[in-house]
Amino acid sequence: MISEKTLDAVKVGILTDEQLDEALKHYRDLEKNLKCHGEIYHLCWFNVYMTLHTLEGYLESRKNR
């Protein structure tokens, strides 16, 4: 489960390293769990997928510093 503080940080786009790790774990699990339901949750899955893509971009940028 993601903390409310981390969820708020995801919305703003400013996360500590710890929050980024927490968010990545949460969104990876959420994406996987929604994907298996197919069309029923497609719109929700797509939103999660795009957020995960953004978070993974943040992680990649931090690695390249």
Side-chain angles (χ1 to χ4, degrees), residues 1 11 27 31 39 47-48 55 57 62-65:
M1 182 66 101
K11 290 175 187 174
Y27 278 91
E31 190 271 338
E39 288 296 316
N47 182 276
V48 169
L55 293 170
R62 290 180 189 200
K63 285 180 181 178
N64 291 332
R65 275 197 247 168

Side-chain angles (χ1 to χ4, degrees), residues 13 15-25 28 51-65:
L15 297 97
T16 65
D17 289 342
E18 293 78 19
Q19 287 174 323
L20 180 57
D21 290 341
E22 179 185 1
L24 282 166
K25 180 186 180 331
R28 285 174 180 152
T51 301
L52 177 58
H53 180 74
T54 300
L55 293 170
E56 288 175 336
Y58 293 167
L59 178 64
E60 197 59 37
S61 293
R62 290 180 189 200
K63 285 180 181 178
N64 291 332
R65 275 197 247 168

